[in-house]
C-alpha cells in the first residue's frame, strides 16, 4: 500500500475533483463543458491560492486561522450534506434499477414500444413510455407504485440539493473566501485592512470580489455570473415559499420575497455542483498547502478529522495509507 504525507493526502482528493467533472460529462450531454469549469477552478487554486499559502506569511496566517477556527465547520457540513446526498443517490440508483427492470419487462409485453430509445430526464418519466392498457393488472399496479416512489424521491432529492446549495453558500464559501481574498490581494498588490482579519458574510465577500476582478477570473463564472441564483436559492432554502417543482415539465422554481427563478432540473443540479466545486476544491486545496508548510500536529489532526466526514460505506482511501508527520 502506498503511503502518503497529509499534504499529499489532501492533494489527491483535490485532484480527484477533476474526475467528477469528467464523469458528469459522460452522464449527460447537457453537462458538456463541465470538466473545463472544474479544471479552471482547480487550476486557479493550484497556481494562485496554494502557492500563496506556501510562500506568503500573511496568506499562510489566514490558512492557519482557517484550520483552527473554520475547518471544523466545513467538516461538519461536509459530513451532514454528504450523508444526505449519498443516501439520496443510493436510493436513486435503486429506483433507476427498478425502472430499468420494469421497462424491460413491459417491453417484452409490448407495453413500452419506445423503451430503450428515449433518454429519461428523471426516473418517474418512465410512466410516460407505457401503454398502460397493455399491462396486466399486476404490472399496472407495480407501475403505479413505482411511479409514486419515483415522484416522492424526486422532491426529496430536490430538497437535499437546495439544502446543499444554501449551506455551501452560507457556511463553506465565506470560510474559503477568507483565505482567497488574501491570496487575491497579495497577487495584485492591494493594501491590507483590519477587516481582512474578520470572517465576513458571503454577500460582502462577493461584493468585494466582483469589484476587484474582471469577468475572465477563473472563479467569476460561479461567484459572479451565478451569484443571484445562489442568493435566491439560499433565501428559498429558509423561506416559506421555498421550492416549487413542476414534475410534468421537469422545472424547478425558487422564490424569496422579491425574486422568482424557474429553470430545468439539470440546470439546477449543475449549479449545485458548481458551488460545490469551489467550496470543496478550496477546502482540500487550502488544507493541502497548509499541511505542506506546517508539517506537524495540526496537519495530522486535520487528516483524522477529515476522514470522519465520509459515510461509513462510502468508498474512500484508508487512514492507514497516511504517513503522519513526526510529532
Amino acid at each position: 500500500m502506498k503511503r502518503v504525507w497529509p499534504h499529499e493526502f489532501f492533494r489527491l482528493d483535490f485532484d480527484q475533483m477533476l474526475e467528477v467533472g469528467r464523469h458528469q460529462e459522460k452522464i449527460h450531454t447537457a453537462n458538456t463543458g463541465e470538466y473545463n469549469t472544474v479544471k479552471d477552478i482547480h487550476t486557479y487554486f493550484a497556481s494562485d491560492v496554494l502557492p500563496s499559502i506556501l510562500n506568503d506569511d500573511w496568506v499562510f496566517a489566514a490558512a492557519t486561522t482557517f484550520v483552527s477556527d473554520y475547518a471544523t465547520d466545513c467538516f461538519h457540513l461536509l459530513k451532514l450534506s454528504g450523508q444526505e446526498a449519498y443516501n439520496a443517490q443510493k436510493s436513486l440508483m435503486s429506483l433507476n434499477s427498478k425502472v430499468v427492470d420494469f421497462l424491460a419487462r413491459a417491453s417484452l409485453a409490448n407495453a413500452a414500444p419506445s423503451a430503450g430509445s428515449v433518454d429519461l430526464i428523471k426516473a418517474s418519466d418512465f410512466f410516460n413510455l407505457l401503454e398502460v392498457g397493455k399491462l396486466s393488472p399486476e404490472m399496472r399496479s407495480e407501475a403505479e407504485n413505482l411511479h409514486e416512489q419515483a415522484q416522492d424521491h424526486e422532491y426529496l432529492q430536490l430538497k437535499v440539493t437546495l439544502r446543499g446549495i444554501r449551506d455551501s453558500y452560507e457556511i463553506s464559501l465565506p470560510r474559503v473566501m477568507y483565505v482567497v481574498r488574501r491570496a487575491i490581494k497579495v497577487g495584485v498588490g492591494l493594501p491590507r485592512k483590519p477587516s481582512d482579519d474578520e470572517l465576513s458574510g458571503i454577500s460582502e465577500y462577493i461584493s468585494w470580489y466582483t469589484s476587484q476582478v474582471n469577468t475572465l477570473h477563473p472563479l467569476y463564472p460561479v461567484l459572479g455570473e451565478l451569484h443571484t441564483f445562489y442568493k435566491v436559492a439560499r433565501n428559498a432554502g429558509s423561506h416559506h415559499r421555498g421550492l416549487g417543482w413542476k414534475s410534468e415539465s421537469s422545472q424547478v422554481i425558487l422564490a424569496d420575497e422579491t425574486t422568482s427563478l424557474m429553470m430545468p432540473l439539470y440546470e439546477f443540479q449543475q449549479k449545485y455542483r458548481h458551488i460545490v466545486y469551489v467550496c470543496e476544491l478550496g477546502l482540500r486545496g487550502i488544507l493541502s498547502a497548509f499541511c505542506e508548510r506546517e508539517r506537524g500536529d495540526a496537519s495530522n489532526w486535520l487528516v483524522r478529522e477529515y476522514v470522519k466526514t465520509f459515510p461509513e460505506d462510502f468508498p474512500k482511501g484508508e487512514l492507514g495509507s497516511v504517513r503522519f508527520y513526526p510529532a
Side-chain angles (χ1 to χ4, degrees):
M1 177 189 298
K2 180 182 179 181
R3 302 189 71 193
V4 297
W5 293 111
H7 68 275
E8 295 172 322
F9 173 79
F10 286 117
R11 182 61 192 235
L12 288 170
D13 263 12
F14 175 76
D15 292 339
Q16 182 61 31
M17 292 294 293
L18 291 170
E19 299 306 314
V20 177
R22 283 196 179 97
H23 177 66
Q24 291 299 330
E25 290 196 352
K26 293 177 181 177
I27 290 176
H28 202 285
T29 55
N31 297 331
T32 299
E34 188 156 336
Y35 171 74
N36 286 334
T37 298
V38 183
K39 185 179 179 181
D40 288 345
I41 298 170
H42 178 279
T43 300
Y44 169 69
F45 277 103
S47 62
D48 287 59
V49 179
L50 275 62
S52 292
I53 295 172
L54 292 171
N55 301 316
D56 187 276
D57 291 343
W58 189 55
V59 183
F60 177 66
T64 301
T65 299
F66 179 90
V67 167
S68 63
D69 297 351
Y70 308 139
T72 300
D73 292 334
C74 295
F75 289 163
H76 288 165
L77 176 58
L78 193 62
K79 183 171 186 176
L80 293 171
S81 62
Q83 186 71 62
E84 281 192 334
Y86 184 56
N87 288 340
Q89 187 64 24
K90 285 200 302 182
S91 296
L92 178 61
M93 292 175 66
S94 175
L95 269 172
N96 286 343
S97 295
K98 292 178 182 178
V99 166
V100 169
D101 174 71
F102 183 86
L103 284 176
R105 288 185 286 118
S107 181
L108 290 175
N110 296 316
S114 58
S117 63
V118 177
D119 290 330
L120 300 179
I121 296 176
K122 55 189 186 301
S124 65
D125 290 344
F126 86 94
F127 203 79
N128 299 329
L129 303 181
L130 301 177
E131 294 183 8
V132 178
K134 295 183 179 180
L135 294 173
S136 67
E138 293 79 10
M139 288 191 70
R140 180 170 183 171
S141 177
E142 182 183 355
E144 290 171 347
N145 289 334
L146 186 56
H147 185 233
E148 183 177 357
Q149 290 178 41
Q151 287 185 316
D152 289 344
H153 183 272
E154 283 164 10
Y155 193 71
L156 175 64
Q157 188 140 23
L158 288 173
K159 295 289 285 187
V160 168
T161 301
L162 182 61
R163 284 160 60 100
I165 294 171
R166 180 195 66 189
D167 292 346
S168 295
Y169 179 83
E170 190 67 29
I171 299 173
S172 291
L173 189 55
R175 286 152 178 76
V176 169
M177 289 301 295
Y178 177 81
V179 180
V180 170
R181 179 164 66 179
R182 288 200 188 189
I184 292 175
K185 283 195 165 190
V186 167
V188 299
L190 291 173
R192 305 173 183 184
K193 295 182 178 181
S195 59
D196 293 321
D197 297 332
E198 301 172 0
L199 180 66
S200 302
I202 189 56
S203 294
E204 182 177 333
Y205 280 122
I206 295 295
S207 295
W208 179 88
Y209 171 82
T210 54
S211 70
Q212 298 297 328
V213 306
N214 61 39
T215 57
L216 298 179
H217 190 272
L219 300 185
Y220 196 88
V222 179
L223 301 186
E225 294 176 11
L226 298 182
H227 176 234
T228 297
F229 164 79
Y230 292 126
K231 185 176 180 180
V232 174
R234 184 272 310 271
N235 294 344
S238 305
H239 194 268
H240 66 275
R241 290 180 62 188
L243 176 71
W245 171 235
K246 292 188 174 182
S247 178
E248 66 282 359
S249 58
S250 300
Q251 296 284 318
V252 179
I253 304 169
L254 302 174
D256 61 14
E257 293 289 354
T258 60
T259 308
S260 180
L261 301 176
M262 185 167 68
M263 69 208 68
L265 173 63
Y266 79 87
E267 188 176 318
F268 176 67
Q269 294 169 329
Q270 190 176 66
K271 285 177 168 62
Y272 166 61
R273 292 194 300 273
H274 284 180
I275 196 170
V276 167
Y277 294 144
V278 174
C279 291
E280 293 202 12
L281 282 168
L283 172 65
R284 297 170 182 186
I286 290 168
L287 297 185
S288 176
F290 171 84
C291 292
E292 187 172 356
R293 183 163 172 176
E294 193 262 351
R295 293 178 180 260
D297 290 340
S299 300
N300 296 338
W301 170 82
L302 281 170
V303 172
R304 293 188 178 97
E305 292 301 306
Y306 179 73
V307 297
K308 294 177 185 177
T309 65
F310 297 95
E312 290 185 2
D313 58 343
F314 187 82
K316 57 183 180 294
E318 297 180 19
L319 189 58
S321 66
V322 178
R323 176 172 51 179
F324 290 107
Y325 300 121

